[in-house]
Amino acid sequence: MMQRWKRKPAKFPLIALIFSVCIVISILYNERKIHTVYENKLQKTAEQVEEEVAVEDEVPVTQTDQESSNPPNISIHSNPKPVPADLDRFTTCTSIRNYSGERKTRKVIGLANPFAKIGGGSSSDSCDLFSGKWVFDNTSYPLYKESRCPYMSDQLACNRHGRSDLMYQNWRWQPHNCNLKRLNATEIWEKLRNKRLMFVGDSLNRGQWISMLCLLESVIPSDKRTITPQAPLTVFRAVVIEFHWAPLLVESNAGDPVNHKADNRIIRPDTILKHAAEWDKADILIFNTYLWWRQGPVKMLWSTEENGVCEELDGMGAMQLAMEAWAEWVATKVDPIMKRVFFVTMSPTHMWSREWEPGTEGNCYQQKTPITTEAYWGSGSDLPKMRMVDTILSRLGSKVSVLNITQLSDYRKDGHPSVFRKFWEAVSPEQLSNPPSYSDCIHWCLPGVPDVWNELLLQSL
């Protein structure tokens, strides 16, 4: 009776077995192939970012780790909603429409003279530290040697990269009716003891950060300073001086200090997000933002937008929204007794020599002396944006000190690297035959102009 249940197992046809094995092998092979292609793509992307970074965005690869952490998100909304996903360079808009104006900002009224009411920095009403002239001084300047600063960037080391005329290192800023206090690195180091000083912004602010390191390191023995190799952090025993990459201040798809190239610039104009979590840690903050707002229209993805629909606005309007978000953080989070906040005004460019020498068609290339015409303004100083920023900063009163470096820097057409720097992208033969075509008239050689910015900053401290 039991035997009728003992059926012989059916024979699996040989051809079916072979077919099944082939399918499994094919799946495994394709899966491995896809994984390999993805790995190669990531490797290629990293190499392209390292070698093809845009002129104003270059940054050492060792600075990625600070941005890879995920600090708590901070929203400026009084009734915060669920925090949206962070933007990155792969973020896209599902559709784009013009800015509706529904999320309106305060009305901005421009002043006749940008920063005329703020940014004094001097206890004397008769002394404006930001109004003056450049004086040649090859006795006191430069304040340090390019070759002796271990933190020098190849983007800013003009002498190392072939610039032989070194007069750009010997100009001293002389305010009208008063003098800048002579820099005493030892005194400054003591003043900063147990403090955390943080520069926040774009590559120009990074240049000022490097200048600060070069100014202070000369008085500190090498065994008393350390560098964190995987983050933009320098520690002088009890002093921390660091740089935080945030070129647009608000959350954006350019938030990574290395991998921030994108076809479209996208921001969240109403949120500070992870940036502010870093700012909270600092005792002294130095902010800047400017050039990234001059690259055409900006796409805005609001934190309350759930469908990926972006609004588009011109750079001026988008910058105003971002500045309002930043100003609200300062107004609500900064106690001026506990934290000092500085805002550095726009760093000008020198793209058109006809602006200071009519009839010429060059730029900063081969410029060897400053502009001597007092009150000179070039197109590299965007006066409408300056007035907008002035109005916003004026509302913050004593919570923000302004370093009004724009016009004093506008005189220094000679201070840029032009062709005397390391370029991450290969320079073509056509460009080599026409040096102005690839000259960097945005950044500044070191030692040079950013040292004066820091002299003004340190005098304020």
Side-chain angles (χ1 to χ4, degrees):
M1 192 68 154
M2 296 292 296
Q3 289 184 356
R4 69 184 195 179
W5 295 103
K6 294 180 180 179
R7 297 179 181 176
K8 293 182 179 181
K11 292 183 179 180
F12 195 75
L14 181 60
I15 189 170
L17 177 61
I18 295 173
F19 181 72
S20 300
V21 171
C22 291
I23 291 176
V24 172
I25 293 174
S26 177
I27 291 173
L28 293 175
Y29 173 79
N30 286 327
E31 184 178 33
R32 177 58 184 166
K33 184 178 180 181
I34 291 171
H35 183 67
T36 302
V37 169
Y38 181 68
E39 287 184 332
N40 291 340
K41 183 177 180 181
L42 287 179
Q43 183 179 2
K44 182 179 179 182
T45 300
E47 291 171 352
Q48 287 176 336
V49 168
E50 184 176 359
E51 296 174 359
E52 301 177 5
V53 184
V55 132
E56 65 183 286
D57 304 337
E58 288 153 6
V59 62
V61 177
T62 56
Q63 296 188 11
T64 56
D65 282 8
Q66 181 182 10
E67 296 296 305
S68 65
S69 60
N70 294 307
N73 290 316
I74 296 178
S75 171
I76 66 170
H77 295 295
S78 56
N79 297 310
K81 296 185 178 181
V83 178
D86 288 347
L87 300 182
D88 59 34
R89 64 196 180 94
F90 300 109
T91 301
T92 59
C93 303
T94 57
S95 61
I96 302 170
R97 66 189 180 201
N98 291 330
Y99 174 52
S100 64
E102 293 177 0
R103 301 171 177 86
K104 293 182 179 180
T105 61
R106 302 177 183 89
K107 185 177 180 181
V108 173
I109 303 174
L111 300 177
N113 297 306
F115 306 109
K117 294 183 179 180
I118 55 180
S122 173
S123 59
S124 173
D125 293 336
S126 63
C127 177
D128 179 0
L129 292 177
F130 307 103
S131 176
K133 62 182 180 180
W134 290 94
V135 176
F136 187 75
D137 182 352
N138 60 358
T139 301
S140 303
Y141 287 76
L143 298 173
Y144 55 89
K145 298 293 185 181
E146 175 193 294
S147 59
R148 295 182 182 177
C149 179
Y151 315 110
M152 184 59 64
S153 166
D154 277 329
Q155 188 182 34
L156 312 173
C158 301
N159 181 224
R160 181 192 305 169
H161 290 279
R163 182 165 181 175
S164 57
D165 62 294
L166 301 183
M167 287 178 59
Y168 67 91
Q169 300 182 359
N170 301 126
W171 293 95
R172 171 173 54 84
W173 177 246
Q174 177 61 59
H176 296 314
N177 305 320
C178 57
N179 296 308
L180 274 175
K181 183 179 179 181
R182 176 67 180 175
L183 182 71
N184 185 322
T186 303
E187 177 185 341
I188 295 299
W189 187 70
E190 291 298 328
K191 192 173 290 188
L192 295 176
R193 184 177 291 277
N194 297 321
K195 301 292 185 182
R196 189 166 186 169
L197 179 69
M198 181 183 291
F199 290 86
V200 180
D202 57 22
S203 57
L204 289 159
N205 220 18
R206 185 173 62 245
Q208 187 175 354
W209 169 66
I210 293 171
S211 163
M212 180 68 77
L213 300 182
C214 295
L215 287 169
L216 297 184
E217 67 85 26
S218 62
V219 299
I220 303 170
S222 59
D223 62 338
K224 293 187 178 181
R225 59 177 185 256
T226 59
I227 300 280
T228 303
Q230 297 300 322
L233 176 65
T234 298
V235 182
F236 293 154
R237 279 291 169 88
V239 180
V240 176
I241 303 176
E242 59 191 321
F243 171 74
H244 179 74
W245 175 261
L248 299 161
L249 297 183
V250 293
E251 180 76 3
S252 75
N253 63 346
D256 189 291
V258 175
N259 298 324
H260 51 248
K261 278 193 171 183
D263 293 335
N264 293 299
R265 189 65 60 223
I266 302 174
I267 66 170
R268 292 197 193 282
D270 56 343
T271 54
I272 299 300
L273 295 176
K274 63 181 180 181
H275 293 315
E278 295 298 323
W279 307 343
D280 285 336
K281 302 173 184 177
D283 301 291
I284 304 168
L285 286 159
I286 302 96
F287 291 93
N288 90 317
T289 188
Y290 174 41
L291 283 176
W292 282 57
W293 301 106
R294 302 190 78 189
Q295 298 179 2
V298 178
K299 294 171 178 58
M300 304 182 298
L301 186 58
W302 297 89
S303 60
T304 53
E305 176 56 56
E306 299 177 354
N307 300 316
V309 179
C310 295
E311 292 189 323
E312 189 173 73
L313 189 58
D314 62 89
M316 172 73 160
M319 182 180 179
Q320 178 183 335
L321 293 174
M323 285 294 300
E324 292 283 5
W326 172 82
E328 186 168 348
W329 176 83
V330 173
T332 58
K333 299 292 185 179
V334 172
D335 179 352
I337 297 177
M338 304 298 295
K339 190 187 297 285
R340 292 291 305 274
V341 175
F342 292 86
F343 190 90
V344 182
T345 62
M346 292 75 170
S347 173
T349 62
H350 292 90
M351 301 296 191
W352 310 105
S353 62
R354 60 176 176 266
E355 294 182 346
W356 60 82
E357 189 177 352
T360 62
E361 290 299 327
N363 52 24
C364 70
Y365 177 65
Q366 289 190 331
Q367 299 296 323
K368 298 180 180 180
T369 57
I371 295 169
T372 56
T373 303
E374 193 163 342
Y376 167 83
W377 288 108
S379 61
S381 298
D382 192 328
L383 298 184
K385 285 188 176 68
M386 291 176 65
R387 295 187 184 103
M388 177 269 291
V389 171
D390 174 33
T391 302
I392 292 174
L393 294 178
S394 295
R395 301 189 195 119
L396 297 172
S398 62
K399 290 200 171 191
V400 176
S401 299
V402 180
L403 295 180
N404 185 8
I405 58 91
T406 306
Q407 190 163 60
L408 66 88
S409 304
D410 214 352
Y411 298 141
R412 291 300 306 276
K413 59 182 173 61
D414 61 308
H416 300 285
S418 67
V419 300
F420 302 107
R421 50 157 288 183
K422 179 178 179 179
F423 288 92
W424 276 253
E425 292 182 340
V427 181
S428 68
E430 291 77 15
Q431 289 176 311
L432 288 172
S433 66
N434 181 23
S437 68
Y438 69 99
S439 288
D440 179 356
C441 299
I442 296 174
H443 300 96
W444 302 94
C445 296
L446 289 180
V449 174
D451 301 327
V452 172
W453 303 350
N454 279 322
E455 284 187 277
L456 293 165
L457 168 66
L458 294 172
Q459 179 143 329
S460 299
L461 293 174

